[in-house]
Amino acid sequence: MKIICIGRNYVEHAKEMNAPLPSTPIFFMKPETALLRTRDFFYPKFTSNLHYECEIVLKIDKVGKNIDEKFSHNYYSSCTLGIDFTARDVQQNCKEKGLPWEIAKSFDQSAPLSKIWIPLKNSNQEIKFELEKNGKTVQNGSSLNMIFSFDQIITYVSKFITLKKGDLIFTGTPAGVGQVEIGDNLKCLLMGKEVLNFNIR
Ligand code: ZN
């Protein structure tokens, strides 16, 4: 199983990062060990600027390579929410030096994931989601605001990498990213329903 993450997929998030809008999807990967399997997330020692990024996550249903966009919808049927934790200070240092981002993005527990999946009726269905930090809404997203749709992402990624059953795709974060501190609580809401809730230790 692999975890593929799309970067910079919402206009307002690209703006808040002072980053140009991409002309093709940008992706990176996290290993299976990035999944958070407990109720607590432990703040890593190698960063002092850890950011949450709440994202819609798709699960791949069957193997596929070079998937035509008109068939992309056959490769997933449900979604949930996850957090793409990012060590922003480490990432900034990597960017400045032109180095890969893995140590900033792919560390253990960097991908908390809800266990509650909702079925998708069609590719254009609007998925609304929110992230609350300590009870206050900090991110508010809609799948309709993505630069690249679920179907376009699957087509693009599968040009390079074979998708397999059980693979996960984090589809990018909307605006409102920010720091977490030890003691914070994060809660993700999908279509108004709580699907993930954990604490930073
Ligand atoms: Zn992200």
Side-chain angles (χ1 to χ4, degrees), residues 5-7 28 53 55 84 86 105 172-173:
C5 304
I6 306 299
F28 56 91
E53 294 187 357
E55 312 196 359
D84 165 21
T86 305
K105 284 280 199 182
T173 198

Side-chain angles (χ1 to χ4, degrees), residues 5-8 13 28 30 52-55 83-86 88 101 105 170-173 177:
C5 304
I6 306 299
R8 233 181 279 169
H13 173 60
F28 56 91
K30 294 183 189 247
Y52 55 77
E53 294 187 357
C54 183
E55 312 196 359
I83 303 285
D84 165 21
F85 270 125
T86 305
R88 200 66 79 195
W101 294 0
K105 284 280 199 182
F170 281 61
T171 58
T173 198
V177 300

Side-chain angles (χ1 to χ4, degrees), residues 5-10 20-28 147-149 152-157 159-160:
C5 304
I6 306 299
R8 233 181 279 169
N9 200 23
Y10 290 81
L21 295 184
S23 53
T24 57
I26 298 167
F27 74 90
F28 56 91
I147 299 172
F148 300 104
S149 67
Q152 289 172 322
I153 290 168
I154 282 175
T155 296
Y156 185 78
V157 171
K159 282 184 197 181
F160 303 94

Side-chain angles (χ1 to χ4, degrees), residues 34-198:
L35 292 174
L36 177 65
R37 298 184 188 280
T38 62
R39 218 187 114 80
D40 293 322
F41 170 90
F42 291 93
Y43 197 104
K45 290 187 167 47
F46 52 79
T47 178
S48 52
N49 189 9
L50 184 72
H51 275 205
Y52 55 77
E53 294 187 357
C54 183
E55 312 196 359
I56 300 172
V57 181
L58 300 178
K59 183 157 50 186
I60 297 297
D61 289 339
K62 59 178 185 178
V63 69
K65 168 81 180 163
N66 286 321
I67 300 164
D68 192 285
E69 198 179 316
K70 66 177 177 287
F71 300 121
S72 289
H73 67 276
N74 294 324
Y75 289 81
Y76 62 93
S77 56
S78 59
C79 75
T80 192
L81 296 178
I83 303 285
D84 165 21
F85 270 125
T86 305
R88 200 66 79 195
D89 46 355
V90 178
Q91 185 193 34
Q92 191 54 36
N93 191 37
C94 292
K95 281 182 175 175
E96 281 164 14
K97 293 182 176 153
L99 296 172
W101 294 0
E102 272 81 355
I103 58 170
K105 284 280 199 182
S106 308
F107 51 88
D108 285 357
Q109 302 195 329
S110 63
L113 181 72
S114 168
K115 291 184 175 69
I116 301 165
W117 293 81
I118 64 164
L120 288 167
K121 293 183 201 82
N122 63 64
S123 313
N124 304 318
Q125 180 185 347
E126 181 177 22
I127 306 297
K128 290 184 171 181
F129 61 106
E130 285 165 61
L131 176 70
E132 288 182 7
K133 185 174 100 167
N134 304 328
K136 185 171 166 282
T137 302
V138 288
Q139 287 192 288
N140 207 323
S142 161
S143 59
L144 298 184
N145 294 329
M146 295 192 308
I147 299 172
F148 300 104
S149 67
F150 298 153
D151 290 356
Q152 289 172 322
I153 290 168
I154 282 175
T155 296
Y156 185 78
V157 171
S158 72
K159 282 184 197 181
F160 303 94
I161 297 176
T162 301
L163 296 175
K164 295 176 92 171
K165 185 175 160 67
D167 286 351
L168 301 172
I169 302 184
F170 281 61
T171 58
T173 198
V177 300
Q179 262 186 285
V180 290
E181 310 278 1
I182 291 171
D184 284 346
N185 171 263
L186 293 180
K187 188 194 288 185
C188 299
L189 296 107
L190 178 58
M191 304 298 267
K193 183 178 168 227
E194 179 184 319
V195 294
L196 184 64
N197 184 334
F198 65 96

